Amino acid sequence: MVMSEEGKGSEDQQQPRKRLKFRCYKPADETLQDRQIAPASSLSVDSEVNRIVEESKVAGSADIDLNALAPRKENWDLKRDVEKKLAKLEKRTKRSMAEMIREKLKSENSLSAD
């Protein structure tokens, strides 16, 4: 679709032009100085941090279990849930291995007795 030069001019007049705002840039040109936005002020958290530190000192240094504070691995709950089942399987495995060894010894004894 080809537009004539006249069509382009009328569209520009309808839409207002965006005004530049300088947040992180300090323009060197004096005419652009009025478009500069004042830098955002950061909140001072020093007083809040100091207050929390003082409160923790007043509360005392109670014995804290460091293991409870340490992050756990992602699968700790799975291991906990499966631990009982694995204990049962371990017992069964040992029992069956002992039974197999007994059977092997019996078969060897019966062959040597023959």
Side-chain angles (χ1 to χ4, degrees), residues 56-69:
S56 66
K57 287 180 182 177
V58 172
S61 60
D63 293 331
I64 298 173
D65 184 19
L66 295 179
N67 293 330
L69 297 177

Side-chain angles (χ1 to χ4, degrees), residues 4-107:
S4 65
E5 290 295 320
E6 296 171 8
K8 289 182 181 178
S10 63
E11 287 181 20
D12 289 339
Q13 291 174 358
Q14 291 174 355
Q15 295 178 351
R17 299 186 80 178
K18 292 184 179 180
R19 187 172 182 198
L20 292 176
K21 296 178 185 178
F22 299 110
R23 295 179 197 275
C24 300
Y25 174 72
K26 184 176 180 181
D29 190 10
E30 291 181 11
T31 58
L32 299 175
Q33 291 287 334
D34 62 333
R35 295 182 181 182
Q36 184 178 2
I37 296 175
S41 62
S42 61
L43 299 174
S44 177
V45 294
D46 292 337
S47 61
E48 185 69 21
V49 170
N50 289 335
R51 184 185 62 80
I52 292 171
V53 168
E54 291 300 321
E55 286 178 4
S56 66
K57 287 180 182 177
V58 172
S61 60
D63 293 331
I64 298 173
D65 184 19
L66 295 179
N67 293 330
L69 297 177
R72 296 180 177 178
K73 292 184 180 179
E74 296 85 21
N75 61 352
W76 70 271
D77 57 337
L78 297 174
K79 287 182 178 181
R80 180 197 64 206
D81 294 340
V82 174
E83 192 172 306
K84 294 176 185 176
K85 295 177 183 177
L86 285 177
K88 286 181 183 179
L89 288 176
E90 185 67 28
K91 288 179 184 178
R92 289 181 183 174
T93 304
K94 286 182 180 180
R95 190 178 311 134
S96 63
M97 287 177 65
E99 188 177 322
M100 290 172 62
I101 292 172
R102 280 189 213 114
E103 288 176 4
K104 185 176 180 181
L105 289 174
K106 284 181 184 179
S107 67

